[in-house]
Amino acid sequence: MASLVESGWQYLVTHFSDFQLACIGSFLLHESVFFLSGLPFIFLERQGFLSKYKIQTKNNTPAAQGKCITRLLLYHFCVNLPLMMASYPVFTAMGMRSSFPLPSWKEVSAQILFYFIIEDFVFYWGHRILHSKWLYKNVHSVHHEYATPFGLTSEYAHPAEILFLGFATIVGPALTGPHLITLWLWMVLRVLETVEAHCGYHFPWSLSNFLPLYGGADFHDYHHRLLYTKSGNYSSTFVYMDWIFGTDKGYRRLKSLKEKQ
């Protein structure tokens, strides 16, 4: 497996520059993972497949889904891609590299764990601030246009929010100066997590059924259903920040009542 990864990486660094890999390569990887993981949930919702696992009975209209996809493509090409290109000098100055040797799996695992911890902390407070009255009305309400979320709505947001909460995702890598392959793995895991959290389905195989403190779709769907002043559940991947600060009490109470029925 290691030799296969090294061979593939050798091909990339031989045929493409660091800038091309870090910017264009990262963008193409993000788009591929995001849409390939998110589009199937539109199909499930339209066809009614696996509906018994759908958290809300309400469905989004094809027009609403189409609006989401159109806006996403606009934001990704006009905000995300320029941001990746603009941040390249910063990341290289802080130690990001694509050259050999590749990092060990121990190094990669330790850095990814650190990224999840720091992203959860920064995201929680940033998200909670976005639910203040002015910021919600003028910025965060765009994301909450979809009270019944589906996978692709995870990145449907005001451009200012993309920059604001995007900081939570990149602050960890910016601090450690990782190898590009570590950054790519982090991006893939983060995209898959946020798509799953917004997918609108809670399956028997959902990760939240097996991994303690993992939020998942049921946890975040509650956040989208309620009014902004009462929603809570501000966490990103793991829910310990909501538990520590008591912003998940409504969700826990509702879940307890459902379990007693």
Side-chain angles (χ1 to χ4, degrees), residues 72 119 189:
L72 282 170
E119 198 272 343
L189 292 174

Side-chain angles (χ1 to χ4, degrees), residues 198-214:
H198 290 81
C199 74
Y201 290 82
H202 183 70
F203 301 110
W205 55 86
S206 292
L207 197 57
S208 57
N209 293 327
F210 308 100
L211 188 60
L213 298 180
Y214 183 84

